[in-house]
Amino acid sequence: MKLSALIFLVFSSLHLCQSTLQNYTSIFSFGDSLADTGNLLSIGSISFSSIARFPYGMTYFGHPTGRCSDGRLIIDFIAEAFGLPMLPPYLAHGESFRQGANFAVAGATALDSDFFQEIGVARFLWSNLSLSTQLGWFEELKPSLCNSTQDCSRYFSKSLFLVGEIGGNDYNYGFFVGKTLEEMKSHVPKVVEAIVNSTERLINNGAMHLMVPGNLPVGCSPAYLTAFSSSNKKDYDRRNGCLKRLNNFAKFHNSVLRQGLRRLQRKYPRTRIIYADFYGAAIPFVHAPKHFGFTHGALTACCGGGGPYNFNPSAMCGHNGSNVCSNPSSFVDWDGIHLTEAAYHSIAINLLKGPYTSPSLMS
Ligand SMILES: *[C@@H]1O[C@H](CO)[C@@H](O)[C@H](O)[C@H]1NC(C)=O
Ligand SMILES: *[C@@H]1O[C@H](CO)[C@@H](O)[C@H](O)[C@H]1NC(C)=O
Ligand SMILES: *[C@@H]1O[C@H](CO)[C@@H](O)[C@H](O)[C@H]1NC(C)=O
Ligand SMILES: *[C@@H]1O[C@H](CO)[C@@H](O)[C@H](O)[C@H]1NC(C)=O
Protein backbone atom coordinates (compact mmCIF):
# COMPACT_ATOMS: atom_id res chain seq x y z
CA MET A 1 0.00 0.00 0.00
CA LYS A 2 2.67 2.46 1.09
CA LEU A 3 4.96 1.42 -1.71
CA SER A 4 2.35 1.91 -4.39
CA ALA A 5 1.51 5.32 -2.95
CA LEU A 6 5.19 6.21 -3.10
CA ILE A 7 5.50 4.96 -6.66
CA PHE A 8 2.48 6.97 -7.58
CA LEU A 9 4.03 10.05 -6.00
CA VAL A 10 7.32 9.55 -7.83
CA PHE A 11 5.58 9.03 -11.12
CA SER A 12 3.26 11.96 -10.77
CA SER A 13 6.06 14.31 -9.81
CA LEU A 14 8.16 13.03 -12.70
CA HIS A 15 5.25 13.82 -14.90
CA LEU A 16 5.05 17.35 -13.55
CA CYS A 17 8.78 18.03 -13.82
CA GLN A 18 9.25 16.79 -17.31
CA SER A 19 6.26 18.68 -18.69
CA THR A 20 6.68 16.64 -21.83
CA LEU A 21 4.81 17.47 -24.99
CA GLN A 22 1.81 15.39 -25.93
CA ASN A 23 2.59 12.90 -28.62
CA TYR A 24 0.27 14.28 -31.28
CA THR A 25 0.32 12.49 -34.61
CA SER A 26 -1.78 15.06 -36.47
CA ILE A 27 -3.00 18.65 -36.24
CA PHE A 28 -6.15 20.12 -37.75
CA SER A 29 -6.37 23.88 -37.94
CA PHE A 30 -9.24 26.29 -38.57
CA GLY A 31 -9.26 30.06 -38.66
CA ASP A 32 -8.42 33.16 -40.66
CA SER A 33 -5.33 34.90 -42.04
CA LEU A 34 -3.42 34.35 -38.81
CA ALA A 35 -3.38 30.64 -39.66
CA ASP A 36 -3.98 30.38 -43.44
CA THR A 37 -1.03 28.58 -45.02
CA GLY A 38 -2.33 28.85 -48.59
CA ASN A 39 -6.08 28.23 -48.84
CA LEU A 40 -7.11 31.70 -50.00
CA LEU A 41 -4.33 31.59 -52.56
CA SER A 42 -5.57 28.20 -53.84
CA ILE A 43 -9.04 29.58 -54.37
CA GLY A 44 -7.46 32.21 -56.58
CA SER A 45 -9.45 34.90 -54.83
CA ILE A 46 -8.73 38.36 -56.11
CA SER A 47 -9.40 39.96 -52.76
CA PHE A 48 -6.16 40.52 -50.99
CA SER A 49 -4.30 39.22 -54.04
CA SER A 50 -1.19 41.04 -52.84
CA ILE A 51 -0.38 38.07 -50.58
CA ALA A 52 0.50 36.27 -53.80
CA ARG A 53 3.25 38.80 -54.50
CA PHE A 54 6.63 39.80 -53.18
CA PRO A 55 7.51 40.62 -50.41
CA TYR A 56 5.13 38.07 -48.84
CA GLY A 57 7.24 35.04 -47.93
CA MET A 58 10.54 36.91 -48.33
CA THR A 59 12.12 35.78 -45.06
CA TYR A 60 11.57 32.05 -44.87
CA PHE A 61 10.19 30.57 -48.05
CA GLY A 62 11.76 33.03 -50.46
CA HIS A 63 8.47 33.21 -52.37
CA PRO A 64 4.81 33.89 -51.52
CA THR A 65 2.98 30.85 -50.12
CA GLY A 66 -0.35 32.45 -49.27
CA ARG A 67 0.73 33.08 -45.69
CA CYS A 68 -0.01 36.65 -44.64
CA SER A 69 3.51 37.28 -43.39
CA ASP A 70 7.15 37.37 -44.41
CA GLY A 71 7.55 33.75 -43.30
CA ARG A 72 6.12 31.13 -40.98
CA LEU A 73 3.04 31.49 -38.80
CA ILE A 74 2.24 30.39 -35.24
CA ILE A 75 0.71 27.17 -36.57
CA ASP A 76 3.96 26.33 -38.43
CA PHE A 77 5.98 26.69 -35.22
CA ILE A 78 3.47 24.64 -33.24
CA ALA A 79 3.58 21.84 -35.83
CA GLU A 80 7.37 21.92 -35.71
CA ALA A 81 7.37 21.76 -31.90
CA PHE A 82 5.34 18.53 -32.07
CA GLY A 83 7.67 17.07 -34.69
CA LEU A 84 5.07 17.29 -37.43
CA PRO A 85 5.38 18.66 -40.96
CA MET A 86 3.88 22.03 -41.81
CA LEU A 87 0.15 21.63 -42.29
CA PRO A 88 -0.85 21.44 -45.94
CA PRO A 89 -3.68 23.79 -46.88
CA TYR A 90 -6.79 21.69 -47.46
CA LEU A 91 -7.75 23.38 -50.72
CA ALA A 92 -4.38 22.60 -52.31
CA HIS A 93 -5.56 19.10 -53.11
CA GLY A 94 -3.22 16.25 -53.82
CA GLU A 95 -1.47 16.26 -50.45
CA SER A 96 -1.74 13.63 -47.78
CA PHE A 97 -3.69 14.82 -44.79
CA ARG A 98 -2.88 11.88 -42.48
CA GLN A 99 -0.72 14.15 -40.32
CA GLY A 100 -3.15 17.00 -40.45
CA ALA A 101 -4.73 19.64 -42.61
CA ASN A 102 -5.21 23.35 -42.47
CA PHE A 103 -8.69 24.68 -43.21
CA ALA A 104 -8.00 28.30 -42.22
CA VAL A 105 -8.73 30.92 -44.88
CA ALA A 106 -7.64 34.53 -44.82
CA GLY A 107 -10.64 36.81 -44.35
CA ALA A 108 -12.77 34.08 -42.77
CA THR A 109 -15.31 34.91 -40.11
CA ALA A 110 -16.71 32.91 -37.21
CA LEU A 111 -20.29 33.74 -38.17
CA ASP A 112 -21.98 32.85 -41.45
CA SER A 113 -22.66 35.46 -44.07
CA ASP A 114 -26.34 35.98 -43.16
CA PHE A 115 -25.19 37.77 -40.00
CA PHE A 116 -23.22 40.26 -42.10
CA GLN A 117 -26.23 40.77 -44.28
CA GLU A 118 -28.26 41.57 -41.18
CA ILE A 119 -25.80 44.21 -39.97
CA GLY A 120 -25.35 45.59 -43.48
CA VAL A 121 -21.70 44.86 -44.17
CA ALA A 122 -22.10 41.80 -46.42
CA ARG A 123 -20.86 43.61 -49.51
CA PHE A 124 -17.47 44.11 -47.85
CA LEU A 125 -16.90 40.43 -47.18
CA TRP A 126 -13.96 38.93 -49.03
CA SER A 127 -15.55 35.53 -49.05
CA ASN A 128 -18.20 33.59 -47.21
CA LEU A 129 -15.80 30.91 -46.06
CA SER A 130 -16.88 31.00 -42.46
CA LEU A 131 -15.86 28.67 -39.68
CA SER A 132 -18.84 26.39 -40.38
CA THR A 133 -17.73 26.11 -44.04
CA GLN A 134 -14.31 25.02 -42.79
CA LEU A 135 -15.91 22.43 -40.52
CA GLY A 136 -17.84 21.17 -43.52
CA TRP A 137 -14.54 20.62 -45.31
CA PHE A 138 -13.22 18.74 -42.31
CA GLU A 139 -16.27 16.47 -42.28
CA GLU A 140 -15.79 15.90 -46.01
CA LEU A 141 -12.17 14.85 -45.39
CA LYS A 142 -12.91 12.71 -42.34
CA PRO A 143 -13.86 9.42 -44.11
CA SER A 144 -10.42 9.35 -45.72
CA LEU A 145 -8.87 9.43 -42.23
CA CYS A 146 -11.12 7.06 -40.29
CA ASN A 147 -14.50 5.39 -40.72
CA SER A 148 -16.14 3.82 -37.66
CA THR A 149 -16.76 5.89 -34.53
CA GLN A 150 -14.26 3.68 -32.72
CA ASP A 151 -11.66 4.09 -35.43
CA CYS A 152 -12.15 7.87 -35.43
CA SER A 153 -11.94 8.12 -31.64
CA ARG A 154 -8.64 6.29 -31.75
CA TYR A 155 -7.29 8.42 -34.58
CA PHE A 156 -8.41 11.79 -33.16
CA SER A 157 -7.33 10.96 -29.61
CA LYS A 158 -3.83 11.76 -30.87
CA SER A 159 -4.83 14.88 -32.81
CA LEU A 160 -4.63 18.50 -31.80
CA PHE A 161 -7.40 20.75 -33.09
CA LEU A 162 -6.76 24.47 -33.38
CA VAL A 163 -9.97 26.43 -33.53
CA GLY A 164 -8.74 29.86 -34.53
CA GLU A 165 -7.76 32.49 -34.05
CA ILE A 166 -11.16 33.29 -35.55
CA GLY A 167 -13.63 36.08 -34.86
CA GLY A 168 -11.29 39.02 -35.43
CA ASN A 169 -12.71 39.59 -38.91
CA ASP A 170 -16.29 39.46 -37.66
CA TYR A 171 -15.47 42.70 -35.89
CA ASN A 172 -13.06 44.17 -38.46
CA TYR A 173 -15.76 44.41 -41.11
CA GLY A 174 -18.05 46.27 -38.72
CA PHE A 175 -15.38 48.60 -37.35
CA PHE A 176 -14.12 49.61 -40.75
CA VAL A 177 -17.56 50.70 -41.93
CA GLY A 178 -17.94 52.89 -38.86
CA LYS A 179 -20.03 50.77 -36.51
CA THR A 180 -19.73 51.95 -32.95
CA LEU A 181 -17.87 50.10 -30.27
CA GLU A 182 -21.11 49.65 -28.35
CA GLU A 183 -22.82 48.04 -31.31
CA MET A 184 -19.88 45.73 -31.97
CA LYS A 185 -19.76 44.81 -28.31
CA SER A 186 -23.38 43.65 -28.51
CA HIS A 187 -22.34 41.14 -31.20
CA VAL A 188 -19.57 39.53 -29.14
CA PRO A 189 -21.77 36.85 -27.50
CA LYS A 190 -22.96 35.71 -30.92
CA VAL A 191 -19.46 35.55 -32.40
CA VAL A 192 -18.28 33.59 -29.37
CA GLU A 193 -21.28 31.27 -29.64
CA ALA A 194 -20.25 30.44 -33.21
CA ILE A 195 -16.73 29.58 -32.04
CA VAL A 196 -17.98 27.49 -29.13
CA ASN A 197 -20.53 25.73 -31.37
CA SER A 198 -17.81 24.78 -33.83
CA THR A 199 -15.61 23.53 -31.03
CA GLU A 200 -18.49 21.36 -29.86
CA ARG A 201 -19.09 20.10 -33.41
CA LEU A 202 -15.45 18.96 -33.54
CA ILE A 203 -15.85 17.18 -30.19
CA ASN A 204 -18.90 15.40 -31.59
CA ASN A 205 -16.69 14.34 -34.51
CA GLY A 206 -14.24 12.74 -32.07
CA ALA A 207 -11.83 15.57 -31.18
CA MET A 208 -10.29 15.20 -27.71
CA HIS A 209 -7.62 17.92 -27.58
CA LEU A 210 -8.67 21.36 -28.74
CA MET A 211 -6.94 24.69 -28.48
CA VAL A 212 -9.01 27.85 -28.98
CA PRO A 213 -7.12 31.14 -29.19
CA GLY A 214 -8.45 34.55 -28.26
CA ASN A 215 -7.88 37.80 -30.06
CA LEU A 216 -4.62 39.74 -30.37
CA PRO A 217 -4.29 43.30 -29.00
CA VAL A 218 -5.87 44.84 -32.10
CA GLY A 219 -5.56 48.35 -30.67
CA CYS A 220 -1.82 48.06 -31.36
CA SER A 221 -2.15 47.22 -35.05
CA PRO A 222 -1.04 49.89 -37.53
CA ALA A 223 -4.28 49.44 -39.54
CA TYR A 224 -6.45 50.31 -36.54
CA LEU A 225 -4.04 52.98 -35.27
CA THR A 226 -4.28 54.64 -38.69
CA ALA A 227 -8.04 54.28 -39.15
CA PHE A 228 -8.88 55.45 -35.63
CA SER A 229 -6.13 57.98 -35.02
CA SER A 230 -7.26 60.48 -32.45
CA SER A 231 -6.18 63.90 -31.28
CA ASN A 232 -7.24 62.99 -27.76
CA LYS A 233 -4.20 61.67 -25.92
CA LYS A 234 -6.46 59.88 -23.47
CA ASP A 235 -7.48 57.45 -26.23
CA TYR A 236 -3.98 55.98 -26.15
CA ASP A 237 -2.40 53.70 -23.60
CA ARG A 238 0.45 55.74 -22.13
CA ARG A 239 2.65 52.67 -21.74
CA ASN A 240 2.65 51.61 -25.36
CA GLY A 241 0.75 54.01 -27.60
CA CYS A 242 -2.00 51.52 -28.47
CA LEU A 243 -5.68 52.41 -28.72
CA LYS A 244 -7.19 51.57 -25.35
CA ARG A 245 -10.80 51.12 -26.47
CA LEU A 246 -9.85 48.54 -29.07
CA ASN A 247 -7.58 46.61 -26.76
CA ASN A 248 -10.34 46.59 -24.17
CA PHE A 249 -12.67 45.30 -26.85
CA ALA A 250 -10.28 42.43 -27.62
CA LYS A 251 -10.05 41.65 -23.90
CA PHE A 252 -13.84 41.66 -23.66
CA HIS A 253 -14.12 39.18 -26.53
CA ASN A 254 -11.47 37.02 -24.85
CA SER A 255 -13.25 36.97 -21.50
CA VAL A 256 -16.58 36.01 -23.08
CA LEU A 257 -14.78 33.31 -25.05
CA ARG A 258 -13.15 31.91 -21.91
CA GLN A 259 -16.52 31.71 -20.18
CA GLY A 260 -17.97 29.86 -23.16
CA LEU A 261 -15.05 27.43 -23.19
CA ARG A 262 -15.38 26.77 -19.46
CA ARG A 263 -19.04 25.85 -19.97
CA LEU A 264 -18.09 23.55 -22.82
CA GLN A 265 -15.35 21.92 -20.73
CA ARG A 266 -17.89 21.16 -18.00
CA LYS A 267 -20.21 19.60 -20.57
CA TYR A 268 -17.40 17.42 -22.00
CA PRO A 269 -15.17 16.57 -19.02
CA ARG A 270 -13.20 13.92 -20.93
CA THR A 271 -11.93 16.35 -23.56
CA ARG A 272 -9.14 18.86 -23.04
CA ILE A 273 -10.18 22.34 -24.14
CA ILE A 274 -7.23 24.71 -24.02
CA TYR A 275 -7.63 28.46 -24.14
CA ALA A 276 -4.67 30.15 -25.86
CA ASP A 277 -4.09 33.68 -24.69
CA PHE A 278 -2.76 35.30 -27.87
CA TYR A 279 -3.29 38.70 -26.26
CA GLY A 280 -1.12 37.90 -23.25
CA ALA A 281 1.51 36.19 -25.39
CA ALA A 282 1.82 39.22 -27.71
CA ILE A 283 1.52 42.19 -25.35
CA PRO A 284 5.00 41.79 -23.79
CA PHE A 285 6.68 42.84 -27.02
CA VAL A 286 4.39 45.80 -27.37
CA HIS A 287 5.47 46.96 -23.91
CA ALA A 288 9.18 46.12 -24.28
CA PRO A 289 9.94 45.46 -27.96
CA LYS A 290 13.70 45.82 -27.63
CA HIS A 291 13.79 43.15 -24.97
CA PHE A 292 12.64 40.72 -27.65
CA GLY A 293 14.94 42.03 -30.36
CA PHE A 294 12.34 44.20 -32.05
CA THR A 295 14.42 47.33 -32.45
CA HIS A 296 11.76 49.15 -34.46
CA GLY A 297 9.01 49.03 -31.87
CA ALA A 298 5.73 47.23 -32.29
CA LEU A 299 3.47 49.83 -33.88
CA THR A 300 5.21 50.38 -37.21
CA ALA A 301 4.66 48.01 -40.11
CA CYS A 302 7.70 46.59 -41.86
CA CYS A 303 5.87 46.67 -45.16
CA GLY A 304 3.51 49.50 -46.04
CA GLY A 305 2.88 52.79 -47.75
CA GLY A 306 4.15 55.34 -45.24
CA GLY A 307 2.50 57.46 -42.58
CA PRO A 308 3.14 57.44 -38.84
CA TYR A 309 2.63 53.66 -38.61
CA ASN A 310 3.79 52.88 -42.16
CA PHE A 311 0.27 51.86 -43.06
CA ASN A 312 -1.59 53.43 -45.96
CA PRO A 313 -4.80 51.76 -47.12
CA SER A 314 -4.22 52.94 -50.68
CA ALA A 315 -0.67 51.57 -50.82
CA MET A 316 -0.78 48.36 -48.85
CA CYS A 317 2.11 45.94 -48.66
CA GLY A 318 2.63 44.26 -52.01
CA HIS A 319 1.02 47.12 -53.92
CA ASN A 320 2.59 50.00 -55.80
CA GLY A 321 3.72 52.76 -53.52
CA SER A 322 4.60 50.51 -50.60
CA ASN A 323 8.04 49.88 -49.20
CA VAL A 324 9.46 46.96 -47.27
CA CYS A 325 12.01 47.05 -44.46
CA SER A 326 15.30 45.28 -44.98
CA ASN A 327 15.19 43.31 -41.74
CA PRO A 328 11.65 42.08 -40.96
CA SER A 329 12.84 40.22 -37.86
CA SER A 330 13.45 43.56 -36.14
CA PHE A 331 9.75 44.42 -36.57
CA VAL A 332 6.72 43.02 -34.76
CA ASP A 333 4.26 44.09 -37.41
CA TRP A 334 4.49 42.90 -40.97
CA ASP A 335 1.86 44.62 -43.16
CA GLY A 336 -0.19 46.67 -40.73
CA ILE A 337 -2.65 43.85 -40.10
CA HIS A 338 -0.50 40.75 -39.66
CA LEU A 339 2.68 40.11 -37.72
CA THR A 340 6.17 39.15 -38.85
CA GLU A 341 7.52 35.64 -38.68
CA ALA A 342 9.72 36.76 -35.81
CA ALA A 343 6.70 37.95 -33.81
CA TYR A 344 4.73 34.78 -34.58
CA HIS A 345 7.74 32.75 -33.48
CA SER A 346 7.87 34.61 -30.15
CA ILE A 347 4.14 34.10 -29.63
CA ALA A 348 4.46 30.38 -30.41
CA ILE A 349 7.30 30.04 -27.91
CA ASN A 350 5.24 31.90 -25.32
CA LEU A 351 2.34 29.52 -25.94
CA LEU A 352 4.51 26.41 -25.79
CA LYS A 353 6.71 27.40 -22.85
CA GLY A 354 4.94 30.21 -21.07
CA PRO A 355 1.83 30.54 -18.97
CA TYR A 356 -0.35 31.55 -21.93
CA THR A 357 -2.27 28.32 -22.44
CA SER A 358 -4.71 27.00 -19.90
CA PRO A 359 -4.68 24.15 -19.28
CA SER A 360 -1.13 24.01 -20.52
CA LEU A 361 -0.47 22.85 -24.07
CA MET A 362 2.69 21.20 -22.78
CA SER A 363 1.27 18.63 -20.40
C1 LIG B 1 -21.13 32.24 -50.98
O1 LIG B 1 -21.52 30.88 -51.06
C2 LIG B 1 -22.39 30.55 -52.13
C3 LIG B 1 -22.69 29.07 -52.05
O2 LIG B 1 -22.80 28.62 -50.75
C4 LIG B 1 -21.78 30.93 -53.45
O3 LIG B 1 -22.68 30.67 -54.48
C5 LIG B 1 -21.41 32.41 -53.45
O4 LIG B 1 -20.75 32.74 -54.63
C6 LIG B 1 -20.50 32.72 -52.27
N1 LIG B 1 -20.21 34.13 -52.20
C7 LIG B 1 -18.96 34.61 -52.05
C8 LIG B 1 -18.85 36.11 -51.92
O5 LIG B 1 -17.99 33.93 -52.02
C1 LIG C 1 -13.60 4.61 -45.37
O1 LIG C 1 -14.54 4.08 -46.29
C2 LIG C 1 -14.44 4.62 -47.62
C3 LIG C 1 -15.55 4.01 -48.46
O2 LIG C 1 -15.62 2.64 -48.28
C4 LIG C 1 -13.06 4.33 -48.17
O3 LIG C 1 -12.92 4.89 -49.46
C5 LIG C 1 -12.00 4.93 -47.27
O4 LIG C 1 -10.70 4.62 -47.71
C6 LIG C 1 -12.17 4.42 -45.83
N1 LIG C 1 -11.26 5.14 -44.97
C7 LIG C 1 -10.34 4.55 -44.20
C8 LIG C 1 -9.50 5.44 -43.36
O5 LIG C 1 -10.19 3.37 -44.19
C1 LIG D 1 -25.15 27.44 -31.65
O1 LIG D 1 -25.81 26.21 -31.45
C2 LIG D 1 -27.12 26.34 -30.92
C3 LIG D 1 -27.64 24.97 -30.61
O2 LIG D 1 -27.53 24.14 -31.72
C4 LIG D 1 -27.99 27.12 -31.92
O3 LIG D 1 -29.28 27.29 -31.40
C5 LIG D 1 -27.34 28.48 -32.18
O4 LIG D 1 -28.09 29.16 -33.17
C6 LIG D 1 -25.92 28.34 -32.62
N1 LIG D 1 -25.33 29.66 -32.68
C7 LIG D 1 -24.53 30.09 -33.65
C8 LIG D 1 -24.07 31.48 -33.56
O5 LIG D 1 -24.18 29.39 -34.57
C1 LIG E 1 2.32 48.96 -60.49
O1 LIG E 1 2.55 49.92 -61.49
C2 LIG E 1 3.00 49.37 -62.71
C3 LIG E 1 3.38 50.51 -63.66
O2 LIG E 1 2.46 51.55 -63.55
C4 LIG E 1 1.89 48.50 -63.28
O3 LIG E 1 2.31 47.91 -64.50
C5 LIG E 1 1.59 47.38 -62.28
O4 LIG E 1 0.52 46.59 -62.73
C6 LIG E 1 1.25 47.97 -60.92
N1 LIG E 1 1.21 46.89 -59.96
C7 LIG E 1 0.24 46.77 -59.08
C8 LIG E 1 0.35 45.62 -58.16
O5 LIG E 1 -0.70 47.53 -59.00
Side-chain angles (χ1 to χ4, degrees):
M1 198 60 187
K2 261 187 186 158
L3 187 64
S4 66
L6 185 68
I7 288 171
F8 174 76
L9 202 76
V10 170
F11 271 88
S12 52
S13 55
L14 262 181
H15 183 73
L16 279 176
C17 293
Q18 283 182 332
S19 84
T20 45
L21 286 174
Q22 286 274 343
N23 185 17
Y24 295 123
T25 53
S26 57
I27 299 181
F28 297 92
S29 156
F30 304 82
D32 59 23
S33 56
L34 294 192
D36 186 353
T37 54
N39 283 315
L40 187 70
L41 199 64
S42 305
I43 300 169
S45 167
I46 50 153
S47 24
F48 224 67
S49 59
S50 54
I51 62 166
R53 285 199 292 269
F54 182 84
Y56 283 88
M58 70 179 265
T59 300
Y60 185 77
F61 301 95
H63 61 91
T65 61
R67 286 170 177 79
C68 296
S69 186
D70 59 313
R72 292 164 289 180
L73 310 179
I74 296 170
I75 178 67
D76 294 314
F77 293 112
I78 289 180
E80 188 190 318
F82 288 108
L84 291 168
M86 287 185 190
L87 297 191
Y90 177 65
L91 300 181
H93 296 284
E95 302 250 13
S96 165
F97 298 117
R98 292 290 306 172
Q99 290 182 292
N102 194 351
F103 303 92
V105 194
T109 51
L111 287 164
D112 292 334
S113 55
D114 50 357
F115 167 78
F116 301 97
Q117 247 136 37
E118 270 166 44
I119 69 164
V121 301
R123 70 204 142 98
F124 301 104
L125 291 186
W126 290 353
S127 72
N128 50 14
L129 302 171
S130 65
L131 190 51
S132 63
T133 310
Q134 296 176 26
L135 262 87
W137 293 339
F138 168 72
E139 287 166 356
E140 177 185 282
L141 173 70
K142 195 178 157 188
S144 74
L145 302 172
C146 60
N147 274 325
S148 68
T149 307
Q150 203 184 11
D151 187 22
C152 290
S153 300
R154 199 169 35 235
Y155 184 75
F156 293 130
S157 70
K158 294 197 192 112
S159 305
L160 176 65
F161 288 78
L162 252 80
V163 192
E165 181 277 334
I166 186 84
N169 288 322
D170 296 61
Y171 309 124
N172 290 342
Y173 290 119
F175 278 129
F176 283 109
V177 298
K179 301 267 177 200
T180 64
L181 200 73
E182 287 64 38
E183 176 179 351
M184 294 317 291
K185 233 174 157 176
S186 73
H187 299 313
V188 169
K190 200 162 179 190
V191 172
V192 165
E193 193 178 282
I195 300 171
V196 172
N197 277 7
S198 291
T199 309
E200 182 166 20
R201 188 166 150 193
L202 287 169
I203 293 171
N204 291 329
N205 269 295
M208 292 293 294
H209 305 266
L210 306 102
M211 183 160 93
V212 188
N215 233 328
L216 285 166
V218 287
C220 306
S221 86
Y224 273 113
L225 285 161
T226 304
F228 300 103
S229 82
S230 164
S231 53
N232 187 349
K233 276 202 172 124
K234 287 198 188 123
D235 289 343
Y236 295 92
D237 188 325
R238 270 189 300 149
R239 288 169 301 171
N240 52 36
C242 302
L243 286 161
K244 280 194 291 196
R245 292 185 312 142
L246 285 161
N247 276 352
N248 287 337
F249 182 86
K251 285 191 212 163
F252 177 66
H253 165 88
N254 292 347
S255 72
V256 177
L257 178 61
R258 287 200 78 165
Q259 284 166 26
L261 295 177
R262 276 193 214 106
R263 275 196 302 276
L264 197 63
Q265 180 67 82
R266 279 196 296 272
K267 188 167 169 190
Y268 298 96
R270 295 184 55 224
T271 62
R272 208 158 59 99
I273 302 171
I274 300 167
Y275 171 70
D277 182 8
F278 275 21
Y279 190 108
I283 205 76
F285 38 83
V286 177
H287 288 309
K290 293 198 174 67
H291 183 76
F292 298 89
F294 299 116
T295 49
H296 289 273
L299 311 187
T300 308
C302 158
C303 182
Y309 304 101
N310 195 29
F311 181 80
N312 176 354
S314 49
M316 304 243 290
C317 181
H319 286 275
N320 282 339
S322 70
N323 56 72
V324 61
C325 68
S326 54
N327 185 10
S329 65
S330 60
F331 283 76
V332 170
D333 194 276
W334 166 243
D335 60 4
I337 301 167
H338 309 103
L339 307 186
T340 57
E341 170 180 282
Y344 285 141
H345 189 207
S346 293
I347 292 177
I349 289 177
N350 279 349
L351 295 175
L352 290 158
K353 308 214 162 121
Y356 301 105
T357 52
S358 77
S360 170
L361 180 58
M362 292 291 281
S363 56

